[in-house]
Amino acid sequence: MKAIEKTAKTVEEAIEFGLLELGVKRSQVKIEVLEEAAKKGFFGFLSGKQARVRISYQDNPGEMAVAFLGDICE
């Protein structure tokens, strides 16, 4: 199993960055929210805590190849 961690302004943005980097679909991965984003400062305009997620997936080349070819054939 392989896993990466991503941070971004929102949980959804961090997930999207991870999916793009891995080149997989959301349905192919397990997503764990490690930290929610927290806004601090003057009405949230100053620096805040970013969201952090861990995205893991089974590194099965055959399964990923079938999914990739299925996407192409659609």
Side-chain angles (χ1 to χ4, degrees):
M1 181 171 287
K2 289 191 176 187
I4 63 168
E5 289 185 13
K6 286 292 179 187
T7 58
K9 291 180 182 180
T10 66
V11 169
E12 284 303 312
E13 194 174 77
I15 292 169
E16 289 302 315
F17 289 156
L19 295 176
L20 285 172
E21 182 177 319
L22 294 172
V24 294
K25 293 181 180 180
R26 194 176 187 134
S27 60
Q28 297 172 301
V29 299
K30 178 183 175 189
I31 299 169
E32 298 172 74
V33 177
L34 303 174
E35 292 183 50
E36 293 280 346
K39 294 187 177 188
K40 297 179 182 178
F42 187 67
F43 296 105
F45 293 116
L46 300 177
S47 65
K49 188 175 175 183
Q50 290 195 323
R52 187 167 61 106
V53 299
R54 178 180 298 130
I55 301 172
S56 54
Y57 70 102
Q58 197 68 17
D59 188 21
N60 184 346
E63 186 177 307
M64 292 182 74
V66 169
F68 174 73
L69 292 173
D71 290 343
I72 291 175
C73 292
E74 286 179 6

